[in-house]
Amino acid sequence: MKKLLAVLMALTLVFAFAACTKQPADTDDAQKTLIMGTNAAFPPYEFVADDGSFAGIDVEIAQAVAEKLGMKLEIKDMEFNSLISAVQGGSIDIALAGMTVTDERKESVNFSDTYAKGVQVVIVKADSAIATVDDLDGKTVGVQAGTTGDIYCTEDYGQDNVKQFNNGALAIQALLNDQVDCVVIDNEPAKAFVAANEGLKILDTSYADEDYAAAIAKENTELLDSFNKALAELKADGTIDKIVEKYINAD
Ligand code: ARG
C-alpha cells in the first residue's frame, strides 16, 4: 500500500512538472526573432567586419526594422543561390542581400518595397582591351552564381562564356589570375573590390539598372506588411539615408 502511494505521489509530481514546463514559449517577455538570410561577401551591403560581426547597409536596415517590430535580429550567412529556397522553406524569414527584384524571382517569393538602386557594371584589369560593354562578345565573364549578372550574361553571351563563382571575391580573384576577362557585378561591391585590389577598373558603360528589395515568403504577408511599414518610417525619418551615407561616400 505504501508502495502504491509512493508511485502515485511520484506520478503526481511528474504531471505537475510537465504542466509547469508546458507553458507556451511565447510569453510576453520572450522576444520574437527575425531570421535574416544573406550572403555576407557583398560590401558595402553585407560583409563580415574585422571583429567577426556582420556589418553593412542591409544588416543595419534589418536591425533598424527588427527594432521597430520589437524583434531580435539573427543573421544566417549562406550562398546567394540558396536564399530564395531558404525563404520558401522557412529556414529564414527574410532575405536581405542586395537582391534585385526580378519577375522570375517574384514567382517564388514576395518582394518588399525597394530600398536601394543597383547597377550591373563590368570590372576589367586596368590594361584590358575591353573598353565598353560591346566588347564582351566572345570573352570569358566571371559572375556570382545565381545573381542577375549571371542570368543576364548567360542569356547574352552563352553559358560557355560565363564562369560562375560562389561569391564576388572569388570572381575578382579569378580576374586577377587571368582566369576570366572581366567580372560583371553590382556597382557598389565593384567599387569596394576595385578599391581593395590594385590594377582593376570599372568600365564607364553599365550593363543593367536594378532595384534592391527584401524577399519574404509568399504566405507571410503579415511580415511583408510590417516590414514595409517599418521601412517607410525609416525612410521618412532619414534613418535609411543615414545608414547608406555611413557606407557609401557621396561622390
Ligand atoms: N543584385 C544581384 C542579384 O540580385 C546580386 C546580389 C548579390 N548579393 C550578395 N549578397 N552576394 O542577383
Side-chain angles (χ1 to χ4, degrees):
M1 194 64 204
K2 253 191 189 153
K3 227 184 202 169
L4 184 65
L5 204 71
V7 168
L8 276 175
M9 274 170 70
L11 277 177
T12 313
L13 272 175
V14 166
F15 282 123
F17 184 68
C20 280
T21 54
K22 264 196 91 187
Q23 290 288 327
D26 225 356
T27 44
D28 281 343
D29 49 317
Q31 207 180 16
K32 288 202 180 149
T33 305
L34 178 68
I35 305 179
M36 159 184 163
T38 195
N39 171 246
F42 199 67
Y45 293 99
E46 45 265 337
F47 55 96
V48 179
D50 290 339
D51 66 357
S53 65
F54 293 110
I57 294 170
D58 289 341
V59 172
E60 293 207 21
I61 290 178
Q63 244 147 17
V65 168
E67 227 164 84
K68 271 211 182 280
L69 303 182
M71 297 172 93
K72 199 176 121 243
L73 182 69
E74 181 188 323
I75 296 178
K76 284 193 186 171
D77 194 11
M78 54 182 76
E79 276 175 23
F80 184 79
N81 231 349
S82 310
L83 286 169
I84 298 259
S85 57
V87 166
Q88 286 180 299
S91 60
I92 58 175
D93 300 314
I94 192 164
L96 263 156
M99 189 180 283
T100 304
V101 179
T102 71
D103 288 339
E104 206 193 327
R105 289 173 182 164
K106 272 192 201 163
E107 286 172 16
S108 308
V109 291
N110 278 335
F111 279 104
S112 71
D113 294 334
T114 71
Y115 61 87
K117 293 220 170 284
V119 185
Q120 294 297 312
V121 296
V122 184
I123 306 177
V124 293
K125 278 195 153 177
D127 58 1
S128 172
I130 300 171
T132 78
V133 170
D134 300 328
D135 300 330
L136 292 191
D137 246 328
K139 298 287 191 299
T140 308
V141 185
V143 295
Q144 320 166 82
T147 62
T148 47
D150 180 9
I151 296 159
Y152 304 153
C153 288
T154 303
E155 252 170 45
D156 287 353
Y157 308 113
Q159 199 147 16
D160 289 347
N161 292 313
V162 178
K163 261 198 184 168
Q164 301 177 316
F165 298 90
N166 270 343
N167 60 55
L170 291 173
I172 294 296
Q173 213 47 55
L175 176 61
L176 290 166
N177 297 337
D178 294 316
Q179 288 159 334
V180 296
D181 299 310
C182 64
V183 169
V184 171
I185 194 166
D186 307 55
N187 58 331
E188 289 303 333
K191 283 191 220 163
F193 287 127
V194 168
N197 295 279
E198 230 157 273
L200 300 178
K201 67 175 182 190
I202 301 172
L203 296 188
D204 288 334
T205 49
S206 60
Y207 192 70
D209 292 317
E210 350 191 272
D211 291 311
Y212 293 164
I216 297 170
K218 289 259 188 206
E219 59 273 17
N220 200 353
T221 51
E222 197 187 321
L223 180 60
L224 182 71
D225 293 343
S226 52
F227 183 91
N228 279 337
K229 189 169 168 275
L231 184 67
E233 288 170 15
L234 293 166
K235 280 181 184 171
D237 72 8
T239 306
I240 300 289
D241 281 343
K242 224 185 269 163
I243 293 172
V244 171
E245 276 160 28
K246 178 172 164 192
Y247 289 97
I248 300 177
N249 303 321
D251 48 12

